[in-house]
Amino acid sequence: MLPCVKDREKMDDIDAMFTHLLGEMDHLSQSLKTEGDSPEADSAAQTEKTFSIGFNDLNESLNELEDNDLDALMADLESKSAAQEPLTSEPNIGGTNDQTAPPATTQKHEPATALPPPPGTDVSCRNMQMREPQTKAEKIKLALEKLKEAKMRKLIVKVLMSDGSSKTLMVDERQSVREVLDKLFEKTHCDCSTAWSLCETNPELLIERTFEDHEHLVEPLSAWTRYSENKVYFLPRPQKYVMFTDPQIFYMWKKDKAALNAINQQAKDLLVKENFGGSTLIVPDLEGTLYLKEDGKKVWKPRYFVLRASGIYFVPKGKTKSSTDLACFVHFEKINIYMTKNYKQKYRAPTNFCFMLKHPCIQKDSPYIKLLCCDDEKTLVLWVNSIRIAKYGTALYKNYQAAMKRASPTKTLQSAAYKEKSSGHTPEAGLSAPKTANHTEDYEYEPPPDFIPPPPPERTSF
């Protein structure tokens, strides 16, 4: 009887643990849902959500596309449709072909005959279909049909500038943030500084994150909920690559300010080479006291945290800072780091220098969000960028090298002259200036005309 009782107790413990796990999973799934979503959500509306970001519907987003972008989209969709057509129209005779037959949903519109169509028929029909759309409205109508058939994920994204203007881009799942930035450089005619970034904002959580250049933009945008108010911005972020321009801040952080300022460029280059150029990345040996927000409460308690390559650890109460006593706070695999805004008022944080760690799919307040607060801006910059180094590793260094290569010396000189020319205007106002083939210095000093008309005669009073 005793073994049976012990086995039953073990099974009860396992059942209890499994029930608790199910409850946690259900809680997490509920936190990922937005208010107003129902199981009977309209499938057409859900499909449109997967194609456009920042618009009310897909039709509106297609109307915002420039003509050349819309033509490029149509050509891409037509080429994919032509590439898939032989697989659906060619019969599998004799069963000698090992390729899997197309599903029934793709064959329902094909004629039920074993004979191939007359030669040139499909090509002529396709050419006629390509010639049919002449107006933009016709192109949009055909694009809507083709997008629903396309297997590759594409998004029409509205990218906002700080002056309220916007650019509309077509982005597919293969394109990295670096490629999208290059496209925006061409559309806005701005300089190609390494500080330019794509940022996402979440007004409900009051957070912002700068996308890393190696990320594929479609992936994080696809995590947004259906009725999301999130936005994508094209903005300069000077601290984007501060770990390479001022590496002493992260790898010599224990030294005083005077010693850090005395570091010359040669020493900085050596620090970058030692920590990023070797076979393994060296993560800053960062530790210190941060304020942790307790779950479900507006209470912040100081904890001693330690940064490691795998995640952030903390020293439990009554324990030492030895590695054996450290407890894991969070791992970096499935979380992103976000900057916060006005959390001193929203959550009664000790300061406004806070950052958030969460899964990208969590788009509203949840107990699975981690909030940390720093004493000052210097500590915030130190922790946020050190976490980026630990999470992304050498990919950050490759991003920086690609950005530096894009920002060529010629473009840098043109940018400086352009900024001097447009002094007194906001940086965003200079984004829409026309792009010229000559250097900016030549554009600025235009010679006067050969003929200058005389001033009008003075008006005589009667």
Side-chain angles (χ1 to χ4, degrees):
M1 291 296 293
L2 287 177
C4 294
V5 171
K6 289 181 179 179
D7 291 342
R8 191 178 298 110
E9 289 178 352
K10 289 181 179 179
M11 291 299 296
D12 291 342
D13 291 341
I14 292 174
D15 289 342
M17 292 171 62
F18 185 66
T19 303
H20 178 71
L21 177 61
L22 288 178
E24 291 292 319
M25 292 174 65
D26 181 66
H27 192 184
L28 177 59
S29 65
Q30 291 296 327
S31 68
L32 298 182
K33 292 181 180 179
T34 56
E35 297 179 2
D37 283 345
S38 61
E40 300 83 11
D42 185 17
S43 59
Q46 186 65 24
T47 302
E48 288 189 358
K49 179 260 174 187
T50 62
F51 291 135
S52 60
I53 294 292
F55 297 94
N56 293 327
D57 53 50
L58 182 56
N59 192 42
E60 179 190 350
S61 62
L62 288 172
N63 271 292
E64 288 293 324
L65 276 178
E66 295 179 3
D67 290 339
N68 57 340
D69 291 333
L70 183 58
D71 291 339
L73 170 63
M74 293 295 301
D76 190 32
L77 293 174
E78 287 292 344
S79 64
K80 286 180 174 55
S81 136
Q84 294 172 2
E85 191 164 340
L87 298 177
T88 59
S89 61
E90 184 178 352
N92 185 9
I93 300 176
T96 56
N97 191 358
D98 294 334
Q99 189 175 3
T100 306
T105 55
T106 63
Q107 294 179 340
K108 63 182 180 180
H109 57 82
E110 297 293 333
T113 174
L115 295 175
T121 304
D122 290 342
V123 178
S124 61
C125 291
R126 195 181 309 123
N127 291 337
M128 185 181 301
Q129 188 180 24
M130 292 181 66
R131 287 195 301 268
E132 282 179 359
Q134 299 295 333
T135 65
K136 187 171 184 178
E138 293 174 348
K139 292 178 182 179
I140 290 174
K141 183 178 179 181
L142 184 58
L144 286 170
E145 298 173 358
K146 294 294 182 182
L147 277 172
K148 293 175 182 178
E149 298 172 1
K151 294 183 179 180
M152 181 175 296
R153 285 188 300 172
K154 289 179 178 287
L155 290 178
I156 302 174
V157 184
K158 177 186 281 187
V159 182
L160 301 174
M161 316 293 169
S162 59
D163 64 346
S165 63
S166 65
K167 295 291 179 182
T168 304
L169 304 176
M170 169 64 73
V171 183
D172 66 46
E173 61 186 6
R174 300 166 299 180
Q175 289 180 298
S176 66
V177 172
R178 176 77 260 165
E179 293 173 296
V180 178
L181 285 174
D182 290 342
K183 190 182 295 186
L184 282 167
F185 290 157
E186 296 174 2
K187 285 182 174 291
T188 59
H189 311 305
C190 67
D191 63 78
C192 303
S193 165
T194 57
W196 284 108
S197 309
L198 279 180
C199 309
E200 66 168 323
T201 62
N202 184 320
E204 182 172 351
L205 293 176
L206 295 179
I207 56 174
E208 174 191 307
R209 182 173 87 92
T210 299
F211 293 121
E212 305 296 346
D213 287 1
H214 65 273
E215 289 185 82
H216 291 91
L217 185 60
V218 169
E219 185 176 349
L221 296 186
S222 299
W224 291 5
T225 51
R226 177 178 172 188
Y227 298 108
S228 174
E229 295 294 329
N230 296 6
K231 306 292 182 185
V232 179
Y233 281 88
F234 177 56
L235 299 169
R237 288 290 178 258
Q239 295 177 349
K240 181 178 181 180
Y241 291 123
V242 66
M243 67 283 295
F244 305 113
T245 56
D246 292 300
Q248 74 278 8
I249 296 177
F250 306 94
Y251 292 96
M252 302 172 64
W253 61 273
K254 293 181 181 179
K255 294 186 176 295
D256 57 25
K257 186 177 180 180
L260 294 179
N261 291 336
I263 300 295
N264 57 26
Q265 188 59 46
Q266 185 178 0
K268 292 180 182 180
D269 295 340
L270 184 60
L271 277 175
V272 172
K273 184 177 180 180
E274 288 177 348
N275 294 285
F276 294 93
S279 56
T280 57
L281 174 83
I282 300 178
V283 176
D285 187 18
L286 184 60
E287 59 184 52
T289 300
L290 301 174
Y291 298 95
L292 171 65
K293 181 182 177 299
E294 290 194 348
D295 294 339
K297 300 177 182 178
K298 293 185 178 181
V299 178
W300 300 73
K301 291 190 175 180
R303 293 255 187 177
Y304 198 87
F305 290 93
V306 179
L307 178 66
R308 294 289 183 264
S310 59
I312 302 177
Y313 297 80
F314 68 95
V315 179
K317 190 175 182 180
K319 300 290 184 179
T320 64
K321 291 189 291 184
S322 64
S323 57
T324 55
D325 290 337
L326 293 179
C328 180
F329 176 65
V330 67
H331 285 294
F332 292 141
E333 286 84 0
K334 296 182 179 180
I335 62 102
N336 287 331
I337 183 166
Y338 300 80
M339 304 293 286
T340 65
K341 181 181 179 182
N342 203 22
Y343 269 32
K344 189 174 183 179
Q345 178 180 352
K346 182 178 175 66
Y347 289 117
R348 297 177 186 172
T351 70
N352 269 326
F353 305 109
C354 306
F355 64 92
M356 176 186 291
L357 298 165
K358 73 174 184 70
H359 192 283
C361 288
I362 300 177
Q363 297 291 315
K364 54 188 292 188
D365 204 1
S366 165
Y368 297 95
I369 290 175
K370 306 293 184 183
L371 285 175
L372 294 171
C373 182
C374 307
D375 287 324
D376 49 41
E377 185 178 7
K378 176 186 173 183
T379 308
L380 176 66
V381 171
L382 181 60
W383 273 95
V384 167
N385 289 287
S386 296
I387 291 171
R388 290 175 61 210
I389 294 172
K391 177 175 173 60
Y392 300 111
T394 54
L396 273 183
Y397 190 40
K398 292 178 182 177
N399 293 346
Y400 175 67
Q401 290 175 318
M404 287 294 292
K405 186 177 179 181
R406 185 71 169 84
S408 63
T410 304
K411 287 182 170 55
T412 305
L413 290 174
Q414 292 180 0
S415 168
Y418 183 83
K419 288 181 180 178
E420 184 179 354
K421 173 181 175 295
S422 58
S423 59
H425 298 78
T426 58
E428 293 77 18
L431 296 181
S432 59
K435 187 175 183 179
T436 60
N438 299 327
H439 292 289
T440 309
E441 293 88 345
D442 297 335
Y443 178 82
E444 188 172 358
Y445 300 101
E446 184 178 354
D450 296 332
F451 171 74
I452 301 179
E458 294 183 1
R459 178 177 297 178
T460 8
S461 57
F462 297 97

